[in-house]
Amino acid sequence: MSEENCLFCKILNGEIPADIVYESDTAIAFRDINAKAPTHVLVIPRKHISTMNDIEVDDETVIGSLYTAAREIAAQDGIAEDGYRTVMNCNESAGQTVFHIHLHVMGGRQMAWPPG
Ligand code: 5GP
Ligand code: ZN
């Protein structure tokens, strides 16, 4: 399912180019256009889900697959052992700007805690 005018659905269907680093039946991942770390990849479900609040019980396998993707990407980028962070922002106060859920995978530098 894709939503008109969704930026990440457009990346999914090839309308907008992206540096894709991982693909599975349920998810794809591409490098963030405005990377905040040496590795900054966005993992998205092929299914359009606007926010975490819209995740349904039937989506549990798909959501799990985002983390499998993150693990693979961390291994590919050689950051698995040093460590990396996964973040999913929900709605405005958390800083969500694209309303197709995405798991940020960030690493390759020391990450601060707590995030701003
Ligand atoms: P959010 O703030 O919603 O959690 O994260 C959205 C992310 O999408 C941001 O880190 C932003 O840099 C990234 N982004 C926005 N537009 C594009 C785009 O056209 N291509 C790519 N690769 N990343 C994008
Ligand atoms: Zn979408």
Side-chain angles (χ1 to χ4, degrees):
M1 199 208 319
S2 85
E3 279 227 337
E4 260 179 74
N5 298 323
C6 170
L7 177 64
F8 287 173
C9 282
K10 286 181 179 168
I11 287 177
L12 267 169
N13 68 29
E15 272 179 71
I16 292 176
D19 183 2
I20 293 170
V21 296
Y22 176 92
E23 290 189 74
S24 74
D25 287 350
T26 53
I28 72 162
F30 48 88
R31 298 204 184 273
D32 196 296
I33 205 167
N34 185 19
K36 301 295 188 198
T39 289
H40 189 173
V41 169
L42 304 173
V43 186
I44 70 171
R46 290 187 184 275
K47 178 184 176 186
H48 179 93
I49 302 171
S50 298
T51 78
M52 280 187 71
N53 294 336
D54 302 300
I55 294 170
E56 296 168 350
V57 173
D58 281 355
D59 298 326
E60 283 180 356
T61 303
V62 168
I63 300 304
S65 77
L66 305 183
Y67 288 88
T68 306
R71 187 200 64 206
E72 290 293 323
I73 291 155
Q76 280 175 31
D77 273 19
I79 59 170
E81 298 310 320
D82 279 351
Y84 57 99
R85 180 170 293 166
T86 56
V87 176
M88 188 180 289
N89 297 320
C90 182
N91 277 336
E92 204 178 338
S93 290
Q96 186 177 3
T97 58
V98 178
F99 288 85
H100 179 134
I101 59 168
H102 45 282
L103 191 64
H104 294 259
V105 181
M106 305 176 76
R109 66 168 169 81
Q110 185 64 43
M111 308 299 290
W113 190 263

